[in-house]
Amino acid sequence: MTDEPPLRRRPAESRTGEASQHPPSAAPEPADAGTEPVAGGPVPLTAPREGTPTPVATSSELAEVVARFAAGTGPVALDAERASGYRYSQRAYLVQLRRAGSGTALVDPLPLPDLSTLDAAIADTEWVLHAASQDLACLAEVGLRPRRLFDTELAARLAGFERVGLAALTEQLLGYTLEKHHSAADWSSRPLPESWLTYAALDVEMLVDLRDALAEELDRQGKSAWAAEEFAALVRSGARPARVRAEPWRRTSGIHRVRGARAQARVRSLWYARDQIAARRDAAPGRVLPDSAIVAAAELDPKDEKTLLTLPGFGGRSVRRLARTWLTALDDARQLPEDALPVAPAVEGPPPPHRWAERDPVAAGRLARCREVVVGVAGAHNLPPENLIAPDSIRRLAWQPPEEITEETVADTLRALGAREWQLTLLLPALAQALPTPTP
C-alpha cells in the first residue's frame, strides 16, 4: 500500500466557471476568512478512499493491522466510539485508525480488549485525535496511550475558530462535508451496520489532513509552541479516569426542586439503588430510571406500589418490575435518623462568583479586574478566554491571592493550579498589577 495523496480544500472555480484540475497545496485561509463558503459548495464525503473496512476481531487480524501500521509513515489518526446514553461504562466499543501507507483499520475491542501490540507499533509517532480528552481514557483502557499527540479541536480553539466540531472544521478548511447522524448510536450493539462502519471510518479519513491545515494556521499565528504545551499536558493527564465525586447523587437533574433534608435523602437512596442496577446491567442509569422519576418520587414520597406507578417516569414495564426496589429505597430513607440525613456539602475553593460581592467585596473587585485582564488578552490574541486560562484558576487566585503579590508569586500560584508557561507569559504582568486593590 502506498502513501495516499492528501485530501485538500476543494479548488475554487475560475472566473469562467471552470474548476482547477489540481487541488492546491497551500496553507488554509486564516480563521477570520474561513467562514467564506468554498466555491461551488462543499463536497459530500460518503465513503473512505479504500472502501469501508471490516472490523478486526481476531488475534491474527490484529497482527496484520499491527504490521501494516508499523510499516506506515507519518502521524496516526485515531478515534473511538463509546455507547454513552446506552451503557453504564465509558469503554470503547470501536477503535478507528488511519495512517499513510497503512490505510484505515476498524478494531473491535470486545473480542480484543488488549491492543498493547498496536500501541507499541505506533508508539514513536504523533497521534491525531479530535477532542482527545473525550477518548484518551477509554483508549488507555485497551492499552493505547499516546506519547505525542495533536488535538484538532484544541488546535482550532487556539487558532480562534468559532466552530470547532470535526464536521465544521473539515468543511471549512478542506471543503468536504461529513455526516454526523450516527454520533449518538449504540455502538455496543452487534453486528454494527455497514452505514455505521462507514461513518466511523470517515471520522479518521481526513484527520491528518485537518491536522496539517491547522498546524499551518497555528504556525502562521505564532501559536505552535502554545499548542505543543497544551498537547503535552493532555498526554500527561488525559488518560486519567474522571475524578469520582464525593456525593454524585447531588447532580441528579431537577434536584433543586427537592426541598428538605428528608426529601434529599429519598433522592440519595433512589439514586444509589438505580446505580447498583445500572452497573450490574451495564446500562446507562437514565435508562433504568429517569432523573425526573427520582425527583417526582422524592417530592411525593409514595408508600405503596399503586401510588408509585402513577408518577411520571414509573410507567414503563422494566421500571414497574422494579417497583419493590424503589419502594424499599424510599422506605430506607424514611427510616433514617435525623443525624444520618444529608447535610449541605462543604464548599471546596471559593464560593460561586455571584455571592462574592456579599461575602467579600474586596475579593469581588479582584475577580472583576482579573477577568477584565483575561478577556482583554484573549481578545488581543484571538483566543477563547477559557483556553487562555482555566476560569477556576482565576477564581482561586482572586479569592486567595499570595500574601506578597509579585509576578513570581502569582506564577507559582497559577502553576500549582495547572497553568502552562505560555499562559503565564501572556498574563503575568497584567494579573500581578490587577490583584492589588487600587488606592483611592
Side-chain angles (χ1 to χ4, degrees), residues 85 93 424:
Y93 286 95
L424 299 179

Side-chain angles (χ1 to χ4, degrees), residues 397 400-417 424 428 431-433 435-436:
L397 174 68
Q400 193 171 8
E403 290 186 12
E404 181 184 2
I405 298 174
T406 66
E407 289 189 22
E408 290 74 17
T409 59
V410 172
D412 290 342
T413 300
L414 290 176
R415 281 193 191 98
L417 295 170
L424 299 179
L428 271 183
L431 282 180
Q433 293 174 14
L435 281 169

Side-chain angles (χ1 to χ4, degrees), residues 102-353:
S102 307
T104 297
L106 306 180
V107 181
D108 186 347
L110 294 184
L112 297 169
D114 182 5
L115 302 181
S116 56
T117 56
L118 180 57
D119 178 79
I122 58 176
D124 295 333
T125 192
E126 179 185 80
W127 298 14
V128 183
L129 295 93
H130 187 81
S133 60
Q134 298 180 17
D135 290 335
L136 287 177
C138 71
L139 290 173
E141 287 182 359
V142 296
L144 295 171
R145 295 176 177 84
R147 286 70 169 174
R148 291 186 293 130
L149 70 77
F150 189 104
D151 185 334
T152 50
E153 184 197 53
L154 182 50
R157 292 184 185 279
L158 294 175
F161 287 84
E162 292 186 6
R163 300 168 63 214
V164 296
L166 179 60
L169 288 171
T170 300
E171 180 173 336
Q172 188 172 345
L173 288 176
L174 303 176
Y176 292 86
T177 58
L178 290 173
E179 294 290 343
K180 300 302 294 180
H181 52 280
H182 294 310
S183 59
D186 180 6
W187 290 91
S188 67
S189 61
R190 293 295 185 273
L192 292 170
E194 181 78 9
S195 61
W196 294 17
L197 297 175
T198 297
Y199 161 90
L202 289 175
D203 265 1
V204 293
E205 180 80 6
M206 308 183 75
L207 263 184
V208 172
D209 298 281
L210 188 59
R211 173 244 181 265
D212 292 343
L214 287 166
E216 290 176 6
E217 181 60 25
L218 288 171
D219 187 61
R220 188 189 71 83
Q221 295 186 27
K223 297 176 179 177
S224 296
W226 304 358
E229 282 194 58
E230 293 299 303
F231 300 156
L234 271 175
V235 169
R236 290 193 299 270
S237 63
R240 296 174 189 166
R243 181 172 61 91
V244 178
R245 294 180 177 272
E247 295 183 307
W249 60 272
R250 291 189 182 275
R251 293 178 63 82
T252 303
S253 179
I255 195 174
H256 61 279
R257 302 202 309 268
V258 180
R259 304 298 182 185
R262 183 71 61 180
Q264 290 204 340
R266 293 192 283 272
V267 173
R268 181 177 65 184
S269 189
L270 286 167
W271 191 96
Y272 280 110
R274 178 186 71 174
D275 194 65
Q276 290 177 355
I277 295 167
R280 186 172 66 246
R281 293 180 177 178
D282 190 17
R287 289 183 167 264
V288 175
L289 185 69
D291 280 8
S292 58
I294 289 179
V295 169
E299 290 180 311
L300 186 62
D301 190 21
K303 298 174 179 61
D304 58 76
E305 184 172 332
K306 181 179 180 181
T307 306
L308 177 74
L309 298 182
T310 63
L311 296 180
F314 286 92
R317 183 184 305 173
S318 62
V319 176
R320 291 200 306 269
R321 285 201 298 263
L322 293 167
R324 181 45 49 195
T325 298
W326 313 131
L327 289 170
T328 299
L330 290 166
D331 187 60
D332 289 346
R334 210 174 289 123
Q335 302 301 320
L336 287 174
E338 290 293 323
D339 61 3
L341 297 178
V343 295
V347 177
E348 294 184 10

Side-chain angles (χ1 to χ4, degrees), residues 371-396:
R371 282 177 163 174
E372 185 177 355
V373 168
V374 171
V375 171
V377 174
H381 292 277
N382 193 27
L383 285 168
E386 63 273 16
N387 288 112
L388 174 59
I389 190 75
D392 183 64
S393 297
I394 291 297
R395 285 193 295 269
R396 290 176 184 270

